[in-house]
């Protein structure tokens, strides 16, 4: 009989099954990273042109770094919605950086590339909407507008000029908000349906595996037991060797039921058969403490148990695989005088631990 069948079902909590909107939109793919990189390259080109038209370089680089860090967070942070600490950092740093960069830009702007910050921050805000922080995205955009208004109030023709420059940024953000309101519930439904499909498939696979294992066990049992059963039905009395074979077969079947991991290990099963052939009473019990151990560790312990069986020449040996979570994984109690009046005093207990 083979060892106990332990069916492994897929982990339905993995990101590939219970993923967030990043998975649905491909935001965690190499293509998304490439697009983000190209976007940053375009911002660098606009910064270079704006510096050539009189804008300050260092504040612009600061905004560029903030946008790059925001993009990395939007693409790589697995939490959905985005964690509060990330949102707070963006709200605290980006508007200040935008204001500082604008303060080094001449008014009125001589070209659209001098206000490249609007496009960069709008992109960050739109993806914050998609990542479940729509309110924070609108707050970020409003803070950037306030920074623009302050800039034009102090260095230009008043607050109206700042509103005129930044008003267009709310259009893309409004569309991103509508998109997020539509796609996020859809993403949750899609992944819930996918999880249920995986669970159904896992149950079906487990069922088929159980049937296959049952058929395998029945074939093995039929191959081993049927000849002896047919012999028993014969009116001719059993010979001594046939009786011994019946006893050995009964012991093997009992081991397969009570200690599948021991009976399924070739060396241990053969050592138990040899011990019984010497007249030793062998009892094996499996508490499943070896089921989840590494194959090499399990082989080491089972090999030592087989050696213990080979050392017994008479009496009895009781081998027990202990339950999981203990320091020891198996014990063997050898009693060379089993059934005698001083049996307990002569018994030896062997203990086995993982290497």
């Amino acid at each position: 009989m083979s060892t106990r069948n332990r069916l492994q079902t897929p982990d339905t909590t993995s990101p590939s099954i219970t993923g967030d909107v990043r998975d649905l939109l491909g935001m965690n793919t190499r293509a998304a990273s490439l697009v983000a990189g190209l976007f940053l390259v375009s911002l660098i080109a606009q910064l270079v042109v704006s510096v050539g038209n009189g804008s300050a370089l260092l504040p612009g680089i600061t905004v560029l770094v903030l946008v790059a860090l925001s993009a990395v967070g939007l693409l790589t942070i697995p939490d959905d919605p985005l964690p509060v600490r990330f949102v707070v950092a963006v709200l605290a740093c980006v508007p200040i950086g935008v204001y500082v960069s604008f303060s080094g830009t001449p008014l009125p702007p001589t070209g659209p590339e001098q206000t490249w910050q609007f496009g960069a921050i709008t992109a960050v805000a739109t993806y914050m909407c998609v990542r479940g922080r729509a309110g924070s995205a609108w707050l970020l955009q409003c803070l950037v507008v306030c920074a623009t208004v302050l800039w034009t109030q102090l260095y230009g023709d008043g607050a109206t000029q700042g509103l005129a420059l930044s008003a267009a940024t709310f259009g893309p953000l409004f569309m991103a908000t509508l998109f997020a309101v539509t796609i996020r519930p859809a993403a949750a439904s899609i992944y819930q349906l996918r999880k249920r499909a995986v669970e159904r498939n896992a149950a079906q696979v487990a069922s088929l595996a159980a049937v296959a294992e049952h058929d395998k066990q029945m074939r093995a049992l039929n191959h081993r037991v049927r000849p002896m059963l047919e012999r028993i039905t014969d009116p001719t009395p059993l010979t001594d060797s046939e009786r011994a074979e019946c006893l050995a077969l009964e012991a093997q079947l009992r081991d397969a039921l009570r200690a599948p991991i021991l009976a399924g290990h070739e060396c241990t099963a053969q050592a138990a058969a040899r011990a019984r052939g010497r007249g030793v009473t062998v009892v094996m019990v499996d508490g499943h403490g070896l089921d989840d151990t590494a194959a090499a560790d399990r082989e080491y312990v089972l090999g030592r148990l087989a050696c213990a069986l080979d050392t017994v020449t008479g009496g009895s040996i009781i081998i027990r695989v202990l339950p999981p979570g203990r320091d020891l994984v198996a014990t063997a109690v050898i009693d060379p005088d089993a059934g005698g009046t001083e049996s307990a005093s002569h018994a030896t207990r062997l203990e086995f631990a993982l290497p």
Side-chain angles (χ1 to χ4, degrees):
M1 304 285 282
S2 63
T3 59
R4 184 177 60 146
N5 184 34
R6 295 175 60 84
L7 299 172
Q8 299 295 332
T9 57
D11 180 9
T12 56
T13 62
S14 64
S16 61
I17 297 174
T18 59
D20 50 46
V21 72
R22 292 187 312 143
D23 301 302
L24 190 64
L25 300 180
M27 293 176 64
N28 52 0
T29 62
R30 292 183 178 179
S33 300
L34 178 61
V35 171
L38 293 176
F39 178 68
L40 291 174
V41 170
S42 69
L43 294 181
I44 293 174
Q46 293 182 67
L47 173 61
V48 171
V49 174
S50 67
V51 169
N53 290 334
S55 298
L57 175 63
L58 187 57
I61 293 178
T62 301
V63 174
L64 189 64
V65 170
L66 291 174
V67 172
L69 293 176
S70 301
V72 170
L74 289 168
L75 294 178
T76 60
I77 293 177
D79 297 344
D80 193 65
L82 290 168
V84 174
R85 60 183 182 277
F86 173 81
V87 174
V88 171
V90 172
L91 292 176
C93 298
V94 171
I96 295 176
V98 169
Y99 173 76
V100 173
S101 67
F102 277 155
S103 63
T105 301
L107 275 173
T110 57
E113 70 280 351
Q114 289 184 298
T115 56
W116 61 270
Q117 297 90 335
F118 289 140
I121 306 308
T122 300
V124 173
T126 55
Y127 278 99
M128 285 179 64
C129 283
V130 175
R131 293 300 310 276
R133 295 294 183 181
S136 299
W138 280 90
L139 178 58
L140 172 64
Q141 200 71 22
C142 290
L143 290 175
V144 170
V145 170
C146 291
T148 307
V149 169
L150 181 61
W151 166 50
T152 57
Q153 179 68 31
L154 295 177
Y155 301 97
D157 297 331
T160 305
Q161 185 182 18
L163 288 173
L165 289 172
S166 58
T169 60
F170 286 103
L173 184 58
F174 179 73
M175 290 186 291
T177 304
L178 293 179
F179 177 80
V181 170
T182 304
I183 199 65
R184 286 184 61 81
S189 299
I190 289 171
Y191 284 107
Q192 185 63 28
L193 291 173
R194 181 185 295 183
K195 179 181 178 181
R196 292 177 182 175
V198 169
E199 289 174 347
R200 286 195 300 270
N201 291 337
Q204 184 177 7
V205 169
S207 218
L208 293 174
V211 171
E213 179 66 17
H214 177 267
D215 292 343
K216 178 182 176 181
Q217 297 284 3
M218 290 301 297
R219 288 193 299 269
L221 186 63
N222 181 67
H223 177 74
R224 296 170 60 182
V225 176
R226 178 183 288 273
M228 185 54 65
L229 291 176
E230 291 176 347
R231 174 63 185 88
I232 292 174
T233 60
D234 195 297
T236 306
L238 297 175
T239 64
D240 291 341
S241 62
E242 288 173 335
R243 293 178 185 275
E245 185 180 352
C246 284
L247 291 174
L249 183 58
E250 183 272 338
Q252 293 172 11
L253 294 177
R254 184 174 62 248
D255 291 343
L257 293 175
R258 298 197 305 185
I261 199 166
L262 297 171
H265 187 259
E266 184 177 358
C267 292
T268 308
Q270 292 178 356
R274 289 193 297 267
R276 291 187 175 109
R278 296 190 297 270
V280 178
T281 301
V282 179
V283 177
M284 297 195 296
V285 180
D286 183 10
H288 304 294
L290 289 174
D291 290 357
D292 296 324
T293 58
D297 296 341
R298 183 167 56 251
E299 190 71 23
Y300 168 79
V301 174
L302 293 175
R304 292 188 61 193
L305 291 173
C307 292
L309 284 164
D310 284 332
T311 61
V312 183
T313 57
S316 69
I317 178 171
I318 301 175
I319 293 179
R320 182 184 300 273
V321 176
L322 301 176
R326 302 191 182 185
D327 295 333
L328 300 177
V329 292
T331 62
V333 178
I334 302 173
D335 187 356
D337 190 25
T341 56
E342 298 182 359
S343 174
S345 62
H346 294 160
T348 302
R349 174 185 167 94
L350 305 179
E351 297 178 343
F352 303 90
L354 293 176

